[in-house]
Amino acid sequence: SDIGSQKERVVTEEEWLQRWEMGNIGFHKEQRHPLLQKYLDVLLNGRSGLRIFFPLCGKAVEMKWLADMGHSVIGVEVSEQAVKDFFSEHSLPYCEEPVPEISGAKMFQSTSGNISLYCCSIYDLSSSIVGKFDGVWDRGALVAVNPRDRQRYASLMINLVEKSSSYLLVTVSYDPNKHKGPPFYVPESEVKNLFG
Ligand code: SAH
């Protein structure tokens, strides 16, 4: 296929944790993503008080921005350091509790209650645990998923959203033989196959 050698590449959870530990997080941006600002109306579609999901959230600053607009933000991230950094960098008090349905998982919630970040693998989530979402901001998420897990990821995401939801997806385009990823190259044709 046109994704070449990237198809076989696997980045383990341990490698992600190490990246956070080493501060090797070039994917994190201090400024809000220009495409979220541009397409915010598409995401919200005139609605207020939405439940917005950030898969593979890192410490994305847009979570605070959307929460400040009155939406509920739910994220999932394997790195506890990322989650704690998010709350401390925005001076947000939070509490931490176990997630009874997922062994070893913790949920970190802002004291104000409108930001809930699950610290576990996204593949541990299901709609019976986290409910369904009205909107998704997928930046650095599908493109960070190991290529062999994309189908599983997409099926899960489809399961986690309401029928009336909007899903904003950011991918990157480049020659996959020149960089091993992540971010992985996800061609438009593959997005169509995965999400229909
Ligand atoms: N979306 C964020 C972070 C992108 S980097 C942003 O835009 O800044 C991808 C993130 O996914 C990393 O923080 C990594 O620790 C996390 N991650 C990788 N695999 C994961 C998994 N299976 N479940 C949850 N988080 C994961």
Side-chain angles (χ1 to χ4, degrees), residues 11-13 15-17 19-20 25 27-29 33 54-62 76-79 82 118 120-124 137-141 143-146:
V11 179
T12 63
E13 278 186 27
E15 289 175 80
W16 283 110
L17 298 184
R19 287 187 70 153
W20 279 100
I25 53 165
F27 51 81
H28 176 72
K29 301 292 175 220
H33 201 291
F54 280 63
L56 283 64
C57 62
K59 53 175 184 176
V61 299
E62 297 86 356
V76 62
E77 167 57 54
V78 281
S79 165
Y118 287 83
C120 60
S121 170
I122 188 168
Y123 305 113
D124 294 331
W137 172 243
D138 184 321
R139 182 269 172 186
V143 297
V145 162
N146 290 321

Side-chain angles (χ1 to χ4, degrees), residues 13-186:
E13 278 186 27
E14 197 48 49
E15 289 175 80
W16 283 110
L17 298 184
Q18 273 167 19
R19 287 187 70 153
W20 279 100
E21 229 168 88
M22 308 285 286
N24 184 11
I25 53 165
F27 51 81
H28 176 72
K29 301 292 175 220
E30 288 299 333
Q31 301 296 322
R32 291 196 294 265
H33 201 291
L35 289 172
L36 180 55
Q37 311 198 65
K38 181 168 176 193
Y39 292 105
L40 182 65
D41 292 346
V42 175
L43 182 64
L44 303 181
N45 196 16
R47 304 167 298 171
S48 54
L50 300 185
R51 301 187 76 231
I52 302 178
F53 186 45
F54 280 63
L56 283 64
C57 62
K59 53 175 184 176
V61 299
E62 297 86 356
M63 296 195 283
K64 171 81 167 44
W65 189 51
L66 288 168
D68 286 345
M69 281 178 216
H71 303 290
S72 300
V73 168
I74 298 93
V76 62
E77 167 57 54
V78 281
S79 165
E80 183 166 329
Q81 185 188 335
V83 169
K84 287 182 167 167
D85 285 356
F86 171 79
F87 287 112
S88 67
E89 288 170 17
H90 294 278
S91 310
L92 290 169
Y94 64 91
C95 52
E96 173 180 338
E97 52 186 69
V99 182
E101 300 91 337
I102 310 170
S103 104
K106 285 188 221 165
M107 201 264 276
F108 294 76
Q109 188 170 53
S110 60
T111 307
S112 53
N114 54 353
I115 304 178
S116 306
L117 305 184
Y118 287 83
C119 188
C120 60
S121 170
I122 188 168
Y123 305 113
D124 294 331
L125 299 183
S126 66
S127 57
S128 61
I129 302 170
V130 293
K132 297 227 183 204
F133 303 111
D134 307 301
V136 177
W137 172 243
D138 184 321
R139 182 269 172 186
L142 175 62
V143 297
V145 162
N146 290 321
R148 64 170 193 195
D149 297 325
R150 275 179 197 158
Q151 185 64 63
R152 181 181 184 198
Y153 173 86
S155 305
L156 172 60
M157 293 304 289
I158 290 166
N159 238 278
L160 291 178
V161 296
E162 299 279 5
K163 285 210 169 61
S164 58
S165 61
S166 344
Y167 191 124
L168 296 185
L169 170 66
V170 184
T171 61
V172 286
S173 186
Y174 64 90
D175 179 348
N177 298 305
K178 293 195 170 146
H179 175 64
K180 63 185 163 84
F184 298 109
Y185 171 50
V186 184

